[in-house]
Amino acid sequence: MRVRKLTLAAMALAAGLSLTACQSDDGTDPSAAPSAASSASSSNGGSESAAGGSAAAGQEGGTDTAGKTSDGTGGTSGTGEGGKTAACRTDELEITATDATVGGDTEGTVAVDLKNGGGRDCTLTGYAGVDLKTNTGSLSAKRTGRQAPQIVLADGDTVTFGITYPVNDSGGSGVRVTGLVVTPPNETKSVTLDWPGAATLPVTDGSGTPVQVGPMGSAGQGG
């Protein structure tokens, strides 16, 4: 009986030693391990933070890019190649003519106004084409030969040039003027206006035109 008790005691002691050895070999404390729920929460929090950072960075970059794109279109209206201001087109100009003859002048004068209504700045360089429609046919005006500067015409502004012609004091019927045709510089499209000057021109000997046109910006007496 005593031998049996000793044997059972020895077995219990061996089992205890074996359990202790297993705990030492593992080296971990189950109570110190994070719970599954805690680990999942921590992992999700990190992902959300990273996603938020990416969205913010992309949003900021998109705004910057859009701003540059929209800003790049400014300041180009009315410019041609090389950033130069484009020429005025006939359809952009409001063209009118008035009698500008001053009492006592030996020649008659018609002032032609070109107003820029195109919504952009544009340029006029040189001479306009001027033709008088008469009862004997078309009569082209001759350029005065004065230097013709380049004029930058702002939207809404007006530039004027002059047309001079001889006054018919011959006592005869002369040549009856029925209209005025104006073609802006470097354009092919013309505008036909009522002639505001004297009703007739003196008959010439056919050696040349008696009508003269001044350059853009000229005033009185054809410039």
Side-chain angles (χ1 to χ4, degrees):
M1 192 71 177
R2 181 179 176 82
V3 172
R4 183 178 177 85
K5 289 182 179 180
L6 289 175
T7 301
L8 290 175
M11 291 177 62
L13 178 60
L17 292 173
S18 176
L19 180 60
T20 301
C22 289
Q23 289 180 343
S24 298
D25 291 342
D26 182 63
T28 58
D29 185 358
S31 64
S35 66
S38 175
S39 298
S41 174
S42 175
S43 175
N44 290 340
S47 299
E48 289 173 2
S49 175
S54 299
Q59 196 172 35
E60 181 180 353
T63 302
D64 184 56
T65 301
K68 289 180 180 178
T69 301
S70 61
D71 192 43
T73 60
T76 60
S77 178
T79 58
E81 294 183 6
K84 296 180 179 179
T85 304
C88 299
R89 316 311 300 180
T90 301
D91 291 337
E92 297 175 314
L93 299 170
E94 180 184 343
I95 305 175
T96 56
T98 57
D99 183 11
T101 303
V102 178
D105 283 353
T106 58
E107 290 182 308
T109 302
V110 168
V112 180
D113 294 334
L114 294 86
K115 181 178 180 179
N116 182 6
R120 66 180 180 93
D121 293 356
C122 60
T123 59
L124 288 168
T125 305
Y127 288 77
V130 171
D131 296 283
L132 272 60
K133 297 171 68 175
T134 76
N135 62 330
T136 61
S138 180
L139 181 64
S140 296
K142 180 182 179 181
R143 297 178 178 181
T144 60
R146 291 190 58 181
Q147 184 177 0
Q150 182 183 74
I151 295 175
V152 177
L153 193 61
D155 182 40
D157 284 357
T158 300
V159 65
T160 304
F161 68 87
I163 302 170
T164 60
Y165 59 93
V167 176
N168 182 18
D169 55 7
S170 65
S173 59
V175 177
R176 183 165 54 87
V177 183
T178 59
L180 171 64
V181 181
V182 177
T183 308
N186 303 309
E187 272 285 73
T188 57
K189 185 174 182 179
S190 303
V191 174
T192 301
L193 308 170
D194 292 334
W195 172 250
T200 62
L201 301 175
V203 177
T204 65
D205 58 6
S207 60
T209 177
V211 182
Q212 289 191 315
V213 55
M216 289 292 121
S218 63
Q221 304 308 311

